[in-house]
Amino acid sequence: MMKRKKLIFLVLVFILVPMTGLNDQENMIQVNAAQNEITGNNMMEPKEVLVIFDNLGIGTANSNNLNSLETLLSDLTQTAEITMIDDYQAGRMMDYQKVIILKNSENAIDNESFRLDCQKFSGEIVYIGFISTGLLPGLEGLSIECQMGRTVSLNKGEMTINSIWVEDLRVINQLPSIGEATIVAGEKRYPFSVKLNNITVVPTYIGNQSFQLCLGDLLKNWLTPSAAVSMLVLVPGIYPFSDLNQVVAMSDAFYASGIPFALGVVLIDDNMDYPAMARFYQVLRYVQSRNGTILIHRPSPETVSDSDTALAEKMYAMMNKMVENRIYPLGLVTGEDLFFDDFNSLTPLNAFSSGIIISDPVQATQIIPAGNETWALNRASLGIDLETVVNTQSQPRNFRNYPISTAIVLSLPKDEAALTDQVEVINNKWLSLTDYKNLENYWSIGQNTIQSGSGEIRLNGMPVSLAYNEEPVDDQYAYQKPPEYNLAKLFTAGNVFLLTVVGIIIIVFIIIVIFSRRIYLNKFRKIVDQDEHKKPVSEEDKPQ
Amino acid sequence: MNVFDYLMVINIILIWSLLFVNIVLIVGGYIYYIKVENEPSPEVIGDYPFVSIMVPAHNEGVVIVKTVAALLNFDYPEDRYEIIVINDNSTDNSAELLKKIQDENPTRKLIVINTDKITGGKGKSNALNIGYRQSSGEFIAIYDADNTPERKALSYLAAELKADDSLGAVIGKFRTRNKEVNLLTRFINIETLSFQWMAQAGRWQLMKLCTIPGTNFILRRTIIEAIGGWDEKAVAEDTEISFRIYLMGYKIKFQPKAVTWEQEPQTLAVWFRQRTRWVKGNVYVLIKNIGYLVDPKAKKIRFDIFYFLSTYFLLLTALVVSDIIFIMNMAGLVSTSIQGFSNLLWFTAFIMFVLGVFISLTTEKGEMSVSNFFVIALMYFTYCQLWIIVTVYGVFQYFKDRIKKQDSKWYKTERFQG
């Protein structure tokens, strides 16, 4: 048994030792400063935030609550650890400065350790959702009023977001203080949250953008009150076969109206020498010259490759090609589901210091980050729909910013009328939009390092020109098969060669076997005859 | 192209190169077999040389009687050979059994040396050195205690050695006595015929090189005197002494007509321990003699050293690394841009392997059968894969012993009744 264990150990050593050695050599994508700066889950920082939730609220209005909370924290560049109440282990809460409890259902809490720790915990708590009787001291006295199926408005200071449908509204039946966020239902105003000693209670939260902005306001003041916020415009999902004429028209219109914007570009890892790609790069250069910023969509590992190495190689090639074509992407666009993938599988996308997190078109399942730890970029913006902006009223008319960094997500207008409408909405709102390249951004992949700040982009430390020069694209472009790897050729040739050699050897062997059979029969005829007639072998033939 | 691609290419070149080397040896071996078949059996010309047959034995009571009986029955003048059994620190009834044989054969030169844990018990090399000191033959023959040599084996070996002064030693062929016991012994039987007898014959035919197999061989007393006996640190004393014979300028000839039948391991555990000892022993010899690879005076053993180096380090590493890359590739941990060879090639290579091994079986009575053809096919997927494991383990154990500064223990292969 001992020897078997040793053998297993040995095999493991053989597997692991070359892996570590080879991976060092393999990393084409260099680990860079930006990556180190990412406030990832493996950083040596004191534990700050623990999120404890009771369940995912699947099938209820709260089914997106955990996702939206995770996204909010990432938007605030805050990492957190996440656990279910059922999995909670005694004393864990005490390791954190701040705790967020998300109660998505009215179900009773069975974990006694959790109950006891809640009583003892002296740090700050944000309690979101259904109040559980006897869980936290001081909450018993709160008068909670339930209203079913209400359209409400959320108000914060001079800004009001209207027309929010809430199925199960729970509000604290007391008058809000001046300046704090409120929920307006009909004629009545309720506080969005109340603070009781170290506990802030948010009785109603549904994971839509309006509530997200309101909760974002609360969490920002709770976590990073001094962080600057910005508002961006993002047009995502642009790729070579989008309506590029419309992209050009939109760029011109936004430029004419003084609207800085970012274009979310879907990376294409094949056929990069096709004329369509050349034209696409030309359009992107034009966008850059019209005060547009290029961001790249995070490729889904499933669609690009099932291997990080292959993804890294492709990323290297794609980014290199973009820079060669004077396209300078400054950040990342990612959906929530990809954002919360395993941190380690993000290489090399975590090379980017900034990005925009957008909602997933279909919210299929709740996302619990791998390892139950979230990660965050150095700076992120929360994607919000234009509809949310439209539903937001502000006094005075100058909109200023939402309480947290946001990016208004616009679709590429289908025609001129749609474009005019978009521009009109933005202009009428008097939004305070930020040019992405005015923000500090950084990434480094392969030989290229891109930085931006103060409206300037620098490639490997040198400022780059964003002026557009028309470059003709050859329409008569003839497809040229990309050169195959020499090894592929070698293997194909080797395969044919070896097949021939092995084939010849097999023929020679068959001839030898046939020849041998004759010798065999001549030499051992007697024993063969005896075998055939079932006679015993004579003593002479047996071994001595 | 990444580092894994390059590694795969190196591995594939290594694996295929060694495969072809073995095919060449099979063909060479077969040619030698035909040649020997057409030659008359060797006869001693003139006086029969006096031969000391040494049999190291440690707790060999199960098999020793049969072995000594076979040795006493040699077709060789009784007064021209002596049998020296070194009953090395045995705790079984070997001493009584040997005494009984001595009593039953008072006229025969049968010497039994009984050692205890103070005077013996230090492995086969030490036992051979003890026996050698009491021997008086001009030729020394060695047999393992589980052997049943055929009657003419000794005279064939002695005749070859006497006839050619350039020979330092002559080795015979060994066969599996217990091949019908189970699948493992059938595998070993096929391995013995193909990878030992055919490979030895091929090396002799093509390069006049052979490696002493540990039993059923004869060598000159002068050689043992010159090299100062067996290296007691070597657990593969046969390989070790072969290298020393080459370096003295002698050749070692293979005479397949001199046959002995030996008992092979019947359980996987015994087989594993025996083969681990072989691997460790050969790695010891390889490392001890690696310098000769670049020594211009050691041309003769260069192929053998390279062959051992290839088998125990290059081929092994290539197989292990390519398997690891394959598994990692499947798991998505690494990517290789090369697809390797086609399935057809791998299939034809498998057929080539089966046919190559089968050729070896055509040389032996009762072995050229359809069932053995399928046993070879099965062997490829089982027994051959076990070789990788045992070799990895043996190499690891060797280096572990070196790091811990321990001498390798001589594991005595367990014997089975029958």
Side-chain angles (χ1 to χ4, degrees), chain A residues 190-206:
Chain A
Y190 305 96
F192 177 77
S193 62
V194 290
K195 188 164 171 43
L196 300 161
N197 301 320
N198 63 331
I199 306 163
T200 305
V201 181
V202 180
T204 296
Y205 180 71
I206 48 174

Side-chain angles (χ1 to χ4, degrees), chain B residues 6-34:
Chain B
Y6 288 113
L7 268 176
M8 281 301 281
V9 172
I10 293 167
N11 290 337
I12 285 166
I13 291 171
L14 276 172
I15 292 167
W16 280 88
S17 306
L18 289 165
L19 188 64
F20 284 127
V21 166
N22 280 297
I23 284 160
V24 170
L25 290 181
I26 287 173
V27 174
Y30 191 77
I31 292 168
Y32 183 63
Y33 160 70
I34 300 293

Side-chain angles (χ1 to χ4, degrees), chain A residues 487-539:
Chain A
L487 277 185
K489 278 184 185 167
L490 176 78
F491 269 71
T492 310
N495 201 56
V496 174
F497 172 75
L498 286 174
L499 265 176
T500 312
V501 172
V502 172
I504 292 168
I505 291 170
I506 288 177
I507 291 167
V508 171
F509 277 3
I510 289 172
I511 292 167
I512 293 177
V513 169
I514 294 166
F515 177 69
S516 301
R517 180 156 172 81
R518 285 176 56 197
I519 295 176
Y520 183 88
L521 290 176
N522 285 336
K523 187 178 171 188
F524 306 120
R525 187 175 296 279
K526 187 163 52 174
I527 190 160
V528 170
D529 288 348
Q530 284 164 346
D531 283 345
E532 282 171 3
H533 295 97
K534 306 286 179 205
K535 286 179 184 170
V537 178
S538 70
E539 282 305 312

Side-chain angles (χ1 to χ4, degrees), chain B residues 233-285:
Chain B
K233 282 186 181 171
V235 286
E237 76 299 328
D238 34 16
T239 313
E240 212 284 327
I241 208 161
S242 305
F243 280 19
R244 295 214 258 174
I245 290 171
Y246 294 138
L247 289 171
M248 291 173 75
Y250 287 107
K251 289 185 284 193
I252 302 171
K253 187 177 181 180
F254 180 48
Q255 174 46 262
K257 287 183 177 172
V259 177
T260 189
W261 295 74
E262 71 174 15
Q263 193 187 60
E264 298 294 351
Q266 290 178 196
T267 66
L268 209 54
V270 173
W271 175 86
F272 194 86
R273 283 194 288 270
Q274 184 198 53
R275 296 308 162 99
T276 302
R277 175 172 67 81
W278 289 8
V279 172
K280 285 167 72 176
N282 285 332
V283 172
Y284 167 83
V285 175

